[in-house]
């Protein structure tokens, strides 16, 4: 029954964030409590190896509005957010990270904008408190993805956003294993917009997104929403073939018409390495798509939950 649903859910994926959690919790509860007394906060422990679980359970013991979902292992950032959305019951949901770069104090502004008949409102970070490398790679990521995507969707790399219940329900039907969640949210097609939000420095600890993980996310995003790289491979193959046939024809002409010997072993080896490199690159791109198919057809669950902890309202 919709009357029993909380007004607002907050979904937070957590991976080894023990140094940030107490500050995050105190600020978040202070903000959400002013918006509505009927809320839930869902922490998804994505296989943390530090004291994260102990701290999260202490929150749940004190506050019956807190739910703690613990994975059996680390399944990944976007999978953790997916699990939180699967289990949230709110009429609207906020998703944010636990490092306090997403400021809890900005949530009311997202909700105010959502009241203007938007189903999705995401934060556009101003004065980003990231390294120059992360800023550069983020801009490159979004630019390339927008260019490659086959859909007219708005791509934003910031996870901090609020969405309506019908967006959450639509996402529940999308069970892609290698998933780029932010693209899936935009893919639903519901009205969305972004507003500038303050971007804070990481409160403590180090980012969990290494360069390797960022590249993996980029690959997931491209292969989830575009087959254009396969088309580019075809075009590249045609161009290389034309160049090869032209070069072969020229060598035959030199030998049979001009009577000149075949020279230029260096150029031949360079051409051989170039063509071999293109072939390997092409196989790699094709392999990425085939790998997605292989992963999907196995039909394994997106995540495995070890425990779900929540306390009854009577303990309030």
């Amino acid at each position: 029954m919709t009357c029993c649903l909380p007004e607002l859910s907050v979904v937070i994926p957590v991976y080894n964030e023990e140094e940030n959690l107490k500050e995050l919790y105190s600020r978040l509860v202070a903000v959400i409590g002013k918006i509505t007394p009927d809320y839930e906060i869902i922490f998804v422990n994505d296989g943390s190896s530090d004291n994260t679980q102990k701290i999260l359970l202490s929150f749940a013991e004190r506050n019956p509005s807190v739910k703690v979902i613990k994975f059996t292992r680390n399944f990944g950032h976007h999978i953790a957010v997916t699990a939180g959305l699967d289990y949230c019951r709110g009429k609207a949901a906020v998703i944010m990270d636990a490092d306090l770069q997403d400021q809890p104090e900005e949530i009311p502004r997202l909700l105010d904008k959502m009241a203007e008949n938007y189903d999705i409102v995401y934060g556009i970070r101003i004065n980003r408190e990231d390294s120059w490398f992360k800023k550069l790679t983020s801009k490159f990521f979004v630019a390339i993805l927008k260019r490659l995507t086959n859909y007219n969707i708005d791509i934003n790399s910031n996870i901090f956003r609020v969405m309506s219940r019908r967006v959450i329900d639509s996402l529940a039907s999308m069970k892609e294993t290698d998933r780029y969640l932010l693209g899936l949210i935009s893919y639903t097609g519901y009205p969305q917009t972004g507003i500038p939000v303050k971007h804070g420095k990481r409160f403590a600890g180090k980012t969990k997104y290494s360069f390797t993980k960022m590249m993996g996310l980029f690959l997931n995003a491209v292969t989830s929403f575009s087959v254009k790289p396969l088309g580019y491979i075809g075009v590249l193959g045609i161009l290389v073939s034309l160049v090869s046939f032209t070069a072969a024809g020229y060598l035959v002409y030199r030998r049979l018409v001009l009577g000149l010997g075949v020279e230029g072993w260096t150029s031949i080896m360079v051409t051989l390495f170039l063509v071999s490199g293109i072939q390997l690159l092409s196989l790699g791109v094709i392999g990425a798509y085939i790998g997605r198919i292989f992963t999907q057809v196995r039909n394994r669950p997106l995540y495995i939950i070890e425990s779900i902890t929540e306390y009854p309202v009577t303990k309030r």
Side-chain angles (χ1 to χ4, degrees):
M1 296 176 60
T2 56
C3 63
C4 298
L5 294 177
E7 290 293 326
L8 184 65
S9 298
V10 182
V11 174
I12 307 174
V14 184
Y15 179 62
N16 291 341
E17 294 286 1
E18 61 179 356
E19 297 170 297
N20 298 313
L21 290 176
K22 292 181 180 179
E23 177 73 11
L24 168 66
Y25 175 76
S26 63
R27 288 169 58 180
L28 182 61
V29 170
V31 170
I32 300 298
K34 294 178 182 178
I35 298 173
T36 175
D38 191 10
Y39 67 87
E40 65 176 2
I41 302 174
I42 300 178
F43 291 101
V44 183
N45 183 356
D46 187 20
S48 298
S49 57
D50 59 3
N51 289 321
T52 288
Q53 182 68 8
K54 181 179 179 180
I55 296 172
L56 294 180
L57 291 179
S58 71
F59 299 157
E61 289 175 358
R62 299 199 307 266
N63 186 347
S65 296
V66 173
K67 178 185 294 185
V68 180
I69 299 174
K70 185 177 186 296
F71 283 173
T72 56
R73 63 171 177 83
N74 179 255
F75 282 88
H77 184 226
H78 286 220
I79 298 295
V81 177
T82 297
L85 293 174
D86 286 344
Y87 281 86
C88 80
R89 300 175 297 117
K91 297 176 183 178
V94 175
I95 56 177
M96 61 186 297
D97 286 329
D99 57 10
L100 284 171
Q101 288 192 290
D102 298 332
Q103 304 275 290
E105 293 77 14
E106 296 291 332
I107 293 176
R109 297 184 58 243
L110 295 176
L111 293 169
D112 288 344
K113 190 65 178 180
M114 189 180 187
E116 300 177 14
N117 295 320
Y118 289 103
D119 283 272
I120 306 162
V121 181
Y122 55 83
I124 302 173
R125 294 167 174 171
I126 55 176
N127 300 322
R128 289 189 60 173
E129 298 289 347
D130 288 323
S131 66
W132 66 268
F133 179 75
K134 189 170 184 179
K135 292 178 184 178
L136 180 63
T137 53
S138 179
K139 288 181 179 179
F140 176 79
F141 173 89
V142 174
I144 295 298
L145 189 57
K146 285 182 176 180
R147 192 171 189 85
L148 289 179
T149 184
N150 291 326
Y151 304 102
N152 185 23
I153 58 177
D154 190 5
I155 299 293
N156 183 275
S157 62
N158 184 11
I159 197 172
F160 188 35
R161 62 192 61 209
V162 61
M163 65 190 75
S164 67
R165 185 75 239 176
R166 61 178 181 172
V167 176
I168 300 169
D169 291 340
S170 295
L171 289 173
S173 66
M174 303 179 189
K175 296 300 182 183
E176 298 179 26
T177 303
D178 297 314
R179 60 203 289 113
Y180 177 56
L181 184 63
L182 305 186
L184 294 177
I185 292 172
S186 294
Y187 177 77
T188 62
Y190 291 114
Q192 68 171 321
T193 190
I195 62 171
V197 296
K198 294 180 180 178
H199 187 224
K201 291 183 178 180
R202 166 174 272 275
F203 185 74
K206 297 180 179 180
T207 180
K208 307 306 184 294
Y209 258 110
S210 63
F211 179 75
T212 302
K213 287 187 176 181
M214 290 174 63
M215 289 303 298
L217 180 63
F218 174 74
L219 183 60
N220 279 340
V222 171
T223 53
S224 293
F225 292 95
S226 177
V227 294
K228 286 184 177 180
L230 296 175
Y232 293 155
I233 287 175
V235 173
L236 184 60
I238 292 173
L239 293 176
V240 172
S241 297
L242 290 175
V243 172
S244 299
F245 286 133
T246 301
Y250 172 69
L251 292 175
V252 171
Y253 173 78
R254 278 175 54 92
R255 179 61 176 170
L256 299 181
V257 178
L258 301 180
L260 300 176
V262 178
E263 300 176 354
W265 284 106
T266 301
S267 60
I268 292 175
M269 294 304 296
V270 169
T271 303
L272 179 61
F273 283 127
L274 175 63
V275 173
S276 299
I278 292 174
Q279 289 176 336
L280 291 174
L281 175 62
S282 302
L283 288 174
V285 174
I286 295 171
Y289 282 94
I290 295 176
R292 287 184 62 86
I293 297 172
F294 172 70
T295 302
Q296 195 66 38
V297 298
R298 288 184 301 186
N299 200 29
R300 293 178 182 174
L302 293 178
Y303 50 84
I304 299 175
I305 294 175
E306 179 177 317
S307 63
I308 299 177
T309 304
E310 57 182 330
Y311 291 91
V313 177
T314 54
K315 295 194 67 172
R316 190 185 291 269

